[in-house]
Amino acid sequence: FDLLEPIDLEMLNDPHRDILDPGGQIFFALAGETVIGTCGMQPMEPGVYEVIKLGVRPECRGHGAGKLLLEACLDWARAQKAQRVVLYSNHKLQSALRLYRRCGFTPIPYVPGHYAVSDVQMEQHLS
């Protein structure tokens, strides 16, 4: 699925400005010294973070890297004393949606946001 959009490119071109400087974090999954996946946490409002840009190389999927990345994001959010974590996705990404549900995310009514291709919104309460 080609779900890459201009806001993604802006964020990926300057992750310090868009993710790290505002108080977020970026995680990487490694196989040896090779990056096989990544995911980020971006602050939305006090106590709320958004899971962003979860991705694992196609040839490395199905071995738990996505789950480890998502768990690292949730652990980090808890350490930041976040009350809630949200994410936006697309109904076509069925394996990702299954992963999110397995990791404790529940669907909530979709509120259009800054992503044109998203049509699914999920959250997890941490407190």
Side-chain angles (χ1 to χ4, degrees), residues 45-114:
E45 58 188 66
V48 180
Y49 288 88
E50 179 185 352
V51 175
I52 57 170
K53 313 298 171 250
L54 174 62
V56 176
R57 288 177 181 252
E59 67 273 17
C60 299
R61 293 178 186 157
H63 301 287
K67 184 174 188 276
L68 290 173
L69 284 164
L70 196 52
E71 288 172 348
C73 287
L74 293 169
D75 288 345
W76 182 85
R78 286 183 191 95
Q80 306 310 304
K81 308 293 189 225
Q83 288 89 43
R84 190 166 64 105
V85 174
V86 300
L87 61 84
Y88 294 86
S89 190
N90 184 283
H91 73 278
K92 294 178 182 178
L93 302 175
Q94 287 298 308
S95 60
L97 295 174
R98 282 191 299 276
L99 170 64
Y100 300 145
R101 283 193 281 282
R102 280 195 317 269
C103 288
F105 284 86
T106 56
I108 59 174
Y110 176 73
V111 177
H114 41 268

